PDB file of all heavy atoms in Angstrom:
ATOM      1  N   ASP T 444     -23.081 -19.839  20.995  1.00  0.00           N
ATOM      2  CA  ASP T 444     -23.792 -20.613  22.050  1.00  0.00           C
ATOM      3  C   ASP T 444     -22.952 -20.568  23.269  1.00  0.00           C
ATOM      4  O   ASP T 444     -23.567 -20.567  24.442  1.00  0.00           O
ATOM      5  CB  ASP T 444     -23.969 -22.031  21.476  1.00  0.00           C
ATOM      6  CG  ASP T 444     -24.887 -22.152  20.377  1.00  0.00           C
ATOM      7  OD1 ASP T 444     -25.808 -21.239  20.246  1.00  0.00           O
ATOM      8  OD2 ASP T 444     -24.844 -23.060  19.580  1.00  0.00           O
ATOM      9  N   THR T 445     -21.588 -20.628  23.205  1.00  0.00           N
ATOM     10  CA  THR T 445     -20.787 -20.584  24.383  1.00  0.00           C
ATOM     11  C   THR T 445     -20.966 -19.175  25.108  1.00  0.00           C
ATOM     12  O   THR T 445     -21.078 -19.176  26.343  1.00  0.00           O
ATOM     13  CB  THR T 445     -19.317 -20.726  23.936  1.00  0.00           C
ATOM     14  OG1 THR T 445     -19.152 -21.971  23.372  1.00  0.00           O
ATOM     15  CG2 THR T 445     -18.360 -20.593  25.154  1.00  0.00           C
ATOM     16  N   ILE T 446     -21.011 -18.150  24.363  1.00  0.00           N
ATOM     17  CA  ILE T 446     -21.144 -16.844  24.917  1.00  0.00           C
ATOM     18  C   ILE T 446     -22.535 -16.751  25.663  1.00  0.00           C
ATOM     19  O   ILE T 446     -22.620 -16.192  26.836  1.00  0.00           O
ATOM     20  CB  ILE T 446     -21.092 -15.766  23.835  1.00  0.00           C
ATOM     21  CG1 ILE T 446     -19.687 -15.695  23.279  1.00  0.00           C
ATOM     22  CG2 ILE T 446     -21.407 -14.407  24.394  1.00  0.00           C
ATOM     23  CD1 ILE T 446     -19.600 -14.853  22.001  1.00  0.00           C
ATOM     24  N   VAL T 447     -23.623 -17.191  25.026  1.00  0.00           N
ATOM     25  CA  VAL T 447     -24.913 -17.174  25.655  1.00  0.00           C
ATOM     26  C   VAL T 447     -24.920 -17.929  27.025  1.00  0.00           C
ATOM     27  O   VAL T 447     -25.475 -17.413  27.933  1.00  0.00           O
ATOM     28  CB  VAL T 447     -25.994 -17.724  24.696  1.00  0.00           C
ATOM     29  CG1 VAL T 447     -27.277 -17.969  25.436  1.00  0.00           C
ATOM     30  CG2 VAL T 447     -26.157 -16.807  23.508  1.00  0.00           C
ATOM     31  N   ARG T 448     -24.278 -19.097  27.008  1.00  0.00           N
ATOM     32  CA  ARG T 448     -24.245 -19.931  28.194  1.00  0.00           C
ATOM     33  C   ARG T 448     -23.331 -19.285  29.270  1.00  0.00           C
ATOM     34  O   ARG T 448     -23.778 -19.154  30.448  1.00  0.00           O
ATOM     35  CB  ARG T 448     -23.728 -21.275  27.901  1.00  0.00           C
ATOM     36  CG  ARG T 448     -23.839 -22.326  29.046  1.00  0.00           C
ATOM     37  CD  ARG T 448     -23.390 -23.685  28.650  1.00  0.00           C
ATOM     38  NE  ARG T 448     -21.981 -23.805  28.300  1.00  0.00           N
ATOM     39  CZ  ARG T 448     -21.444 -23.902  27.059  1.00  0.00           C
ATOM     40  NH1 ARG T 448     -22.270 -23.811  25.996  1.00  0.00           N
ATOM     41  NH2 ARG T 448     -20.162 -23.944  26.868  1.00  0.00           N
ATOM     42  N   LYS T 449     -22.180 -18.875  28.900  1.00  0.00           N
ATOM     43  CA  LYS T 449     -21.195 -18.318  29.968  1.00  0.00           C
ATOM     44  C   LYS T 449     -21.600 -16.965  30.476  1.00  0.00           C
ATOM     45  O   LYS T 449     -21.359 -16.674  31.644  1.00  0.00           O
ATOM     46  CB  LYS T 449     -19.835 -18.209  29.299  1.00  0.00           C
ATOM     47  CG  LYS T 449     -19.178 -19.623  28.930  1.00  0.00           C
ATOM     48  CD  LYS T 449     -18.852 -20.388  30.197  1.00  0.00           C
ATOM     49  CE  LYS T 449     -18.029 -21.617  29.810  1.00  0.00           C
ATOM     50  NZ  LYS T 449     -17.591 -22.408  30.956  1.00  0.00           N
ATOM     51  N   LEU T 450     -22.293 -16.175  29.668  1.00  0.00           N
ATOM     52  CA  LEU T 450     -22.730 -14.886  30.186  1.00  0.00           C
ATOM     53  C   LEU T 450     -24.147 -14.991  30.837  1.00  0.00           C
ATOM     54  O   LEU T 450     -24.760 -13.905  31.134  1.00  0.00           O
ATOM     55  CB  LEU T 450     -22.797 -13.849  29.043  1.00  0.00           C
ATOM     56  CG  LEU T 450     -21.475 -13.072  28.838  1.00  0.00           C
ATOM     57  CD1 LEU T 450     -20.333 -13.973  28.431  1.00  0.00           C
ATOM     58  CD2 LEU T 450     -21.659 -11.969  27.785  1.00  0.00           C
ATOM     59  N   LYS T 451     -24.672 -16.219  30.943  1.00  0.00           N
ATOM     60  CA  LYS T 451     -25.985 -16.415  31.620  1.00  0.00           C
ATOM     61  C   LYS T 451     -27.071 -15.592  30.936  1.00  0.00           C
ATOM     62  O   LYS T 451     -27.780 -14.872  31.503  1.00  0.00           O
ATOM     63  CB  LYS T 451     -25.892 -16.085  33.102  1.00  0.00           C
ATOM     64  CG  LYS T 451     -24.889 -16.983  33.815  1.00  0.00           C
ATOM     65  CD  LYS T 451     -24.802 -16.627  35.302  1.00  0.00           C
ATOM     66  CE  LYS T 451     -23.795 -17.512  35.978  1.00  0.00           C
ATOM     67  NZ  LYS T 451     -23.710 -17.244  37.472  1.00  0.00           N
ATOM     68  N   LEU T 452     -27.151 -15.826  29.591  1.00  0.00           N
ATOM     69  CA  LEU T 452     -28.203 -15.252  28.781  1.00  0.00           C
ATOM     70  C   LEU T 452     -29.194 -16.241  28.321  1.00  0.00           C
ATOM     71  O   LEU T 452     -29.008 -17.492  28.389  1.00  0.00           O
ATOM     72  CB  LEU T 452     -27.543 -14.489  27.503  1.00  0.00           C
ATOM     73  CG  LEU T 452     -26.446 -13.549  27.858  1.00  0.00           C
ATOM     74  CD1 LEU T 452     -25.764 -13.098  26.605  1.00  0.00           C
ATOM     75  CD2 LEU T 452     -27.046 -12.284  28.590  1.00  0.00           C
ATOM     76  N   LYS T 453     -30.340 -15.781  27.808  1.00  0.00           N
ATOM     77  CA  LYS T 453     -31.256 -16.629  27.152  1.00  0.00           C
ATOM     78  C   LYS T 453     -31.451 -16.230  25.722  1.00  0.00           C
ATOM     79  O   LYS T 453     -31.366 -15.117  25.425  1.00  0.00           O
ATOM     80  CB  LYS T 453     -32.669 -16.466  27.879  1.00  0.00           C
ATOM     81  CG  LYS T 453     -32.701 -17.083  29.241  1.00  0.00           C
ATOM     82  CD  LYS T 453     -34.167 -17.097  29.740  1.00  0.00           C
ATOM     83  CE  LYS T 453     -34.788 -15.727  29.838  1.00  0.00           C
ATOM     84  NZ  LYS T 453     -36.211 -15.845  30.360  1.00  0.00           N
ATOM     85  N   ASN T 454     -31.629 -17.174  24.853  1.00  0.00           N
ATOM     86  CA  ASN T 454     -31.782 -17.004  23.434  1.00  0.00           C
ATOM     87  C   ASN T 454     -33.055 -17.582  22.968  1.00  0.00           C
ATOM     88  O   ASN T 454     -33.262 -18.815  23.035  1.00  0.00           O
ATOM     89  CB  ASN T 454     -30.585 -17.545  22.653  1.00  0.00           C
ATOM     90  CG  ASN T 454     -30.846 -17.474  21.103  1.00  0.00           C
ATOM     91  OD1 ASN T 454     -31.446 -16.635  20.641  1.00  0.00           O
ATOM     92  ND2 ASN T 454     -30.324 -18.491  20.427  1.00  0.00           N
ATOM     93  N   LYS T 455     -33.960 -16.717  22.534  1.00  0.00           N
ATOM     94  CA  LYS T 455     -35.234 -17.209  21.989  1.00  0.00           C
ATOM     95  C   LYS T 455     -35.265 -16.932  20.492  1.00  0.00           C
ATOM     96  O   LYS T 455     -35.312 -15.721  20.077  1.00  0.00           O
ATOM     97  CB  LYS T 455     -36.479 -16.505  22.699  1.00  0.00           C
ATOM     98  CG  LYS T 455     -37.773 -17.104  22.330  1.00  0.00           C
ATOM     99  CD  LYS T 455     -38.898 -16.473  23.158  1.00  0.00           C
ATOM    100  CE  LYS T 455     -40.246 -17.054  22.751  1.00  0.00           C
ATOM    101  NZ  LYS T 455     -41.382 -16.428  23.583  1.00  0.00           N
ATOM    102  N   THR T 456     -35.392 -17.894  19.660  1.00  0.00           N
ATOM    103  CA  THR T 456     -35.339 -17.706  18.198  1.00  0.00           C
ATOM    104  C   THR T 456     -36.769 -17.568  17.692  1.00  0.00           C
ATOM    105  O   THR T 456     -37.751 -18.110  18.246  1.00  0.00           O
ATOM    106  CB  THR T 456     -34.643 -18.823  17.450  1.00  0.00           C
ATOM    107  OG1 THR T 456     -35.318 -20.045  17.700  1.00  0.00           O
ATOM    108  CG2 THR T 456     -33.175 -18.940  17.874  1.00  0.00           C
ATOM    109  N   LYS T 457     -36.887 -16.838  16.588  1.00  0.00           N
ATOM    110  CA  LYS T 457     -38.185 -16.531  15.956  1.00  0.00           C
ATOM    111  C   LYS T 457     -38.028 -16.425  14.477  1.00  0.00           C
ATOM    112  O   LYS T 457     -37.016 -15.882  13.923  1.00  0.00           O
ATOM    113  CB  LYS T 457     -38.720 -15.217  16.542  1.00  0.00           C
ATOM    114  CG  LYS T 457     -40.106 -14.771  15.960  1.00  0.00           C
ATOM    115  CD  LYS T 457     -40.532 -13.437  16.528  1.00  0.00           C
ATOM    116  CE  LYS T 457     -41.813 -12.969  15.888  1.00  0.00           C
ATOM    117  NZ  LYS T 457     -42.252 -11.666  16.363  1.00  0.00           N
ATOM    118  N   LYS T 458     -38.919 -17.026  13.720  1.00  0.00           N
ATOM    119  CA  LYS T 458     -38.944 -17.031  12.305  1.00  0.00           C
ATOM    120  C   LYS T 458     -39.964 -15.954  11.829  1.00  0.00           C
ATOM    121  O   LYS T 458     -41.038 -15.894  12.293  1.00  0.00           O
ATOM    122  CB  LYS T 458     -39.226 -18.343  11.662  1.00  0.00           C
ATOM    123  CG  LYS T 458     -38.197 -19.463  11.951  1.00  0.00           C
ATOM    124  CD  LYS T 458     -38.447 -20.766  11.294  1.00  0.00           C
ATOM    125  CE  LYS T 458     -37.422 -21.742  11.461  1.00  0.00           C
ATOM    126  NZ  LYS T 458     -37.721 -23.008  10.910  1.00  0.00           N
ATOM    127  N   SER T 459     -39.566 -15.214  10.766  1.00  0.00           N
ATOM    128  CA  SER T 459     -40.370 -14.196  10.167  1.00  0.00           C
ATOM    129  C   SER T 459     -39.859 -13.976   8.759  1.00  0.00           C
ATOM    130  O   SER T 459     -38.849 -14.284   8.368  1.00  0.00           O
ATOM    131  CB  SER T 459     -40.306 -12.951  10.977  1.00  0.00           C
ATOM    132  OG  SER T 459     -39.007 -12.358  11.030  1.00  0.00           O
TER     133      SER T 459
END
Side-chain angles (χ1 to χ4, degrees):
D444 293 334
T445 300
I446 295 169
V447 168
R448 186 176 69 257
K449 294 290 187 179
L450 270 63
K451 298 180 180 180
L452 304 170
K453 289 193 299 183
N454 172 30
K455 185 176 182 180
T456 59
K457 178 183 176 182
K458 292 183 178 180
S459 60

